[in-house]
Amino acid sequence: MERKELKAISLLLRALLVLIGLACLWQLHLDLYPVRSYYSMMLDPMDPAASVYRRGFVCDLLVCLSVAAVFPGLAVLWSLFRQVGLGRGFYQQKRLRLLAWLAAVETGLLAASDIMMLSFRVDRLGSGFLWGIPSMLDGTMLLYIGLTLGSAALTVVAYALGQSAQKAAALQDENALTV
Amino acid sequence: MHNRLLSRSLRALVLLGAAMWLYLAADNVYHLVLAARGLAWDASYGTFGRSVRAEAVILLALLPALPILWDMWAIAGQCGTRRGFDDRTALRLRRMGRCALATTTMFALLVWVMLYDRAYRVSEQMNVLQGLYYRLDFYVVAILGLTLVSAIGTTVLFLLSRLAEKAALEQAVNDLTI
């Protein structure tokens, strides 16, 4: 592939990363509102629903943390995509390993928020098992489960690519030594 | 052993993705039928029309995900063997890239439809920021994010397919020279 072509692809990928960053910032801004309102409501110990508010606070806080955890991953992806534009080889094992770790943390946070969200919806099962499941797995829930699966897939792929990069780097070092 | 474990975990994720795809498709068809019935009952009411349009675009966005899952299953299986990138991998990656491009387009169309449907929420008295609050709600931002991620996936798959083609060509040259 030509150098110019690679540079254009690298720029396109980084522009998309900037847009994702902006979307995540907006999402974080939207998600912080329920966290603040739950926090102010759960402070009243006389309120009989204080425990529900506390659970809501933890759930929304986990969602906020999972959105915030995207930013370090975006930074690592930025540096990876920058290397694509420079036309260097597959010598990125450290970045890929870091990306795998960050994706694993993201998966954990998303999975925890999924469990919290499901615990809020579990009483919907009372309307009968067959009709309860669709009302429990609503649009928001499905979106979060999908994101968790996607994040888990990214973890495995980044780990596998990191292993390949390590192997390629070892071969390159060996070649450099023998030449 | 290590490769086999990676392959199995990838395949398990693909299976979970397929199960979710089936559930989403069934849920979407159910809602599409409900909205179409509503539209037949009262064509003047805009909500049913909006629902039919949005559900139809979601269904169209779901369709290209099926060949992607199929090819991911095959590539995940290849991770477990000692074979590297070959002609067939390049072909699969290219097909996945094309399907990812179709998904990106459909997601972009969905974002446009959602923004169009939310236009009635914004009045002339609101300033730009207030208008943004009413337009860019959780679902719009989530689908917008998915569109961007899908666009990155398309580009990366295109790059990987070119790499696979190169690797397959080098392998063929090696085979010839040996």
Side-chain angles (χ1 to χ4, degrees), chain A residues 93-106:
Chain A
Q93 73 268 34
K94 273 186 192 163
R95 286 190 183 94
L96 285 165
R97 213 176 299 151
L98 184 60
L99 185 66
W101 272 109
L102 290 170
V105 170
E106 177 73 27

Side-chain angles (χ1 to χ4, degrees), chain A residues 1 5-6 9 12-13 16-17 19-20 23 26-27 29-31 81 84 131 133-134 137 139-140 142-147 149 152-153 156-157 159-160 163 167, chain B residues 2-3 6 9-10 13 16-17 20 23-24 27 30 72 82 129 132-133 136-139 141-146 148-149 151-152 155-156 158-160 162 166:
Chain A
M1 210 180 268
E5 217 177 347
L6 281 174
I9 289 174
L12 172 73
L13 284 170
L16 288 169
L17 282 183
L19 287 175
I20 290 179
W26 184 259
Q27 192 67 55
H29 173 68
L30 291 179
D31 286 338
F81 292 156
V84 172
W131 294 112
I133 287 178
L137 296 178
T140 315
L142 283 174
L143 196 71
Y144 273 93
I145 293 174
L147 285 176
L149 285 178
V156 179
V157 169
Y159 179 76
Q163 294 285 320
K167 225 171 165 182
Chain B
H2 196 244
N3 278 353
L6 271 176
S9 47
L10 266 176
L13 284 170
L16 279 174
M20 210 178 135
Y23 180 84
L24 266 173
D27 189 60
Y30 173 71
M72 269 178 83
R82 290 208 165 269
L129 193 69
L132 271 180
Y133 269 112
L136 293 179
D137 60 5
F138 167 77
Y139 284 105
V141 180
I143 301 292
L144 186 67
L146 283 180
L148 294 169
V149 170
I152 286 187
T155 319
V156 170
F158 168 72
L159 266 177
L160 281 177
R162 294 291 288 265
K166 205 172 146 191

Side-chain angles (χ1 to χ4, degrees), chain B residues 32-153:
Chain B
L32 186 64
V33 170
L34 273 190
R37 270 192 194 169
L39 196 66
W41 172 63
D42 186 4
S44 63
Y45 194 41
T47 311
F48 291 124
R50 279 202 290 270
S51 295
V52 168
R53 199 168 44 200
E55 297 292 343
V57 177
I58 293 172
L59 195 62
L60 283 175
L62 277 176
L63 286 178
L66 203 59
I68 292 180
L69 283 171
W70 179 260
D71 284 326
M72 269 178 83
W73 175 268
I75 290 177
Q78 212 169 329
C79 280
T81 63
R82 290 208 165 269
R83 267 188 296 150
F85 274 1
D86 56 9
D87 272 343
R88 278 165 69 195
T89 322
L91 205 71
R92 279 197 186 109
L93 285 168
R94 212 178 307 143
R95 193 167 50 200
M96 278 170 81
R98 255 182 255 138
C99 291
L101 183 64
T103 310
T104 310
T105 316
M106 283 302 140
F107 274 140
L109 186 65
L110 186 60
V111 170
W112 184 76
V113 165
M114 287 169 108
L115 283 175
Y116 185 77
D117 286 350
R118 280 158 175 73
Y120 74 95
R121 292 183 182 176
V122 185
S123 68
E124 281 176 11
Q125 284 81 30
M126 290 176 184
N127 60 32
V128 179
L129 193 69
Q130 283 169 328
L132 271 180
Y133 269 112
Y134 282 94
R135 275 177 202 260
L136 293 179
D137 60 5
F138 167 77
Y139 284 105
V140 177
V141 180
I143 301 292
L144 186 67
L146 283 180
T147 313
L148 294 169
V149 170
S150 179
I152 286 187

